[in-house]
Amino acid sequence: MKAVKLTGVKKLEVVDIETPAADGVHPIMTVDTVGICGSDLHYWDDGDPLDLVMGHEFAGTIVDPGSRKDLKKGDRVFYIPSSACMECAACKSGDTLACTNKVETPGIIDASRIGAYAEMFKVKTAAHLYKIPDNISFEEASMVEPSTVAYHGTALGGVKKGDTVLVTGAGLIGAMTIQWAKTLGASKVVFSEINEARSKAVLDMGYADTWLNEVPGVADLLKKYDDFTDNYMGQLMVAAQLQEALGVPGGFDVVIDCSGNGAALNLGLGLLRPRGTVVWTGVRFHTFPMQHALTIFRSATIKAFLGTPITEFDICRDAIFSGKYPVKQYQTDSATLGTTQAAFEKLSAPGNSQFKIMVYPQKG
């Protein structure tokens, strides 16, 4: 079967790999849609691990149900990329992040973990498959996973009715986080993002109240804030001015970073209210200088995470499938296996307005 492999730095190639064979245990499905994730872009940028077939946000059609007696050939399903075994005591109690017998998540870390940038996929953990109702598209089902990442970060922040929230970085996860913050009752959601085209698209979606970067006078204040990198008192002084300009004189209740950008991480600490919560949802693989004094003066609680519990996949699935959390607006382009390289180039181009590019392996 055809698949897309990572073959070098910023290089993907369509190759032939072995077609999955039925074994009566592991379900086999076609891959009808698979979303390009931001983590995939990190692998592509680095060109490592070589020969990795990426793809972990996907949906498709059952070819062989394996051990799943509730599934049959032709059923439409989506996959949740969890490392939970679903069989140990922790998993059975609902605490899947504490799984004691973790399974391999596909399309990440190692080339042996074959992902869904391929025509077909063999599911190692049958319990990770969910049926798709007739009124839901493959594309919507493929966005359950990224919406769960955004939900988990928002929930970790404890966002509740009346809270003020700052989201730094407004790519797909940032935009979904903004939507979740409003859905959970935030009274004011401000976001920062240097990409003008993407920021305008976020504003058009109607969930954000303010784009930080377009507020009059903020650009000069941001420069001053950065100029005071080694002067925490100077940063605190400028942060107070920024808070006033943004209409949150006491600071934000919750700050959620979805960029992994060092400057954004430091800015979030400065704009936080005393005893507020910061969540680092964005991924960063390199060190960065942090003004530690800001965490002390804000008495900040900082949270980060790896993985999301199965219960939250269920919450997001139900929200999307019921129409309470629409996601169609996030698909901005499409690709085939043959044009996946071009799709990655689009997503990494400066100033692009992309959120989610969906790959259609059945279309070539």
Side-chain angles (χ1 to χ4, degrees):
M1 68 176 178
K2 299 295 183 184
V4 173
K5 275 189 176 182
L6 180 64
T7 58
V9 175
K10 297 186 177 181
K11 188 176 181 182
L12 299 170
E13 293 183 23
V14 178
V15 298
D16 288 306
I17 65 172
E18 186 177 353
T19 300
D23 60 12
V25 177
H26 301 97
I28 298 173
M29 59 187 286
T30 62
V31 180
D32 288 78
T33 56
V34 52
I36 298 175
C37 176
S39 62
D40 297 341
L41 285 170
H42 286 298
Y43 289 127
W44 181 72
D45 277 333
D46 293 339
D48 186 64
L50 280 176
D51 295 326
L52 176 66
V53 176
M54 297 179 284
H56 57 268
E57 307 171 358
F58 59 98
T61 307
I62 290 293
V63 174
D64 185 293
S67 62
R68 284 285 297 269
K69 303 304 181 185
D70 60 322
L71 296 177
K72 64 182 185 302
K73 183 176 181 180
D75 280 348
R76 300 165 67 248
V77 294
F78 75 98
Y79 175 85
I80 57 169
S82 171
S83 61
C85 73
M86 306 305 294
E87 295 177 355
C88 69
C91 284
K92 288 181 178 179
S93 74
D95 187 11
T96 54
L97 291 181
C99 176
T100 58
N101 187 31
K102 292 186 183 295
V103 298
E104 293 182 348
T105 303
I108 62 170
I109 300 176
D110 186 86
S112 65
R113 302 185 179 195
I114 298 173
Y117 290 169
E119 293 176 308
M120 299 176 71
F121 182 81
K122 189 172 188 176
V123 180
K124 288 190 175 181
T125 306
H128 291 170
L129 282 180
Y130 287 70
K131 287 185 180 180
I132 304 173
D134 292 340
N135 63 317
I136 297 297
S137 66
F138 285 127
E139 292 86 350
E140 290 169 289
S142 294
M143 289 199 225
V144 170
E145 193 275 342
S147 74
T148 306
V149 173
Y151 176 84
H152 187 61
T154 312
L156 270 184
V159 174
K160 61 186 182 302
K161 186 176 181 179
D163 278 350
T164 55
V165 179
L166 172 65
V167 177
T168 51
L172 176 72
I173 299 300
M176 286 184 156
T177 298
I178 291 166
Q179 185 178 349
W180 271 122
K182 273 296 184 179
T183 301
L184 294 174
S187 61
K188 185 181 184 72
V189 180
V190 177
F191 73 97
S192 67
E193 170 61 55
I194 61 173
N195 183 322
E196 182 177 356
R198 190 178 290 142
S199 297
K200 289 181 176 178
V202 169
L203 289 173
D204 288 343
M205 290 177 193
Y207 302 108
D209 295 291
T210 305
W211 174 27
L212 179 149
N213 305 70
E214 72 169 357
V215 175
V218 162
D220 290 338
L221 289 172
L222 289 176
K223 185 178 184 308
K224 288 181 181 179
Y225 188 86
D226 288 341
D227 288 343
F228 281 123
T229 297
D230 296 320
N231 181 344
Y232 70 89
M233 291 303 294
Q235 284 196 321
L236 288 170
M237 176 190 69
V238 177
Q241 295 174 309
L242 280 164
Q243 290 167 345
E244 288 285 347
L246 296 171
V248 285
F252 290 93
D253 297 304
V254 182
V255 175
I256 305 173
D257 177 73
C258 298
S259 70
N261 177 277
L265 294 168
N266 276 300
L267 177 65
L269 285 168
L271 297 185
L272 187 70
R273 69 161 171 81
R275 296 177 300 281
T277 299
V278 173
V279 180
W280 288 350
T281 296
V283 176
R284 183 181 181 87
F285 293 121
H286 306 287
T287 58
F288 73 99
M290 184 177 78
Q291 181 52 268
H292 183 242
L294 294 177
T295 67
I296 297 170
F297 276 82
R298 293 297 188 238
S299 298
T301 296
I302 301 176
K303 298 182 179 182
F305 63 93
L306 175 65
T308 52
I310 294 292
T311 52
E312 293 185 359
F313 279 106
D314 294 342
I315 289 170
C316 296
R317 173 201 60 193
D318 293 346
I320 291 172
F321 289 5
S322 68
K324 293 179 180 178
Y325 188 90
V327 293
K328 287 182 179 180
Q329 70 273 19
Y330 294 117
Q331 184 180 352
T332 47
D333 210 337
S334 61
T336 63
L337 293 179
T339 60
T340 302
Q341 170 70 25
F344 272 66
E345 291 169 357
K346 285 182 183 179
L347 283 165
S348 62
N352 77 84
S353 58
Q354 301 289 343
F355 287 100
K356 178 61 66 181
I357 295 182
M358 204 65 69
V359 179
Y360 295 83
Q362 303 306 311
K363 295 183 179 180

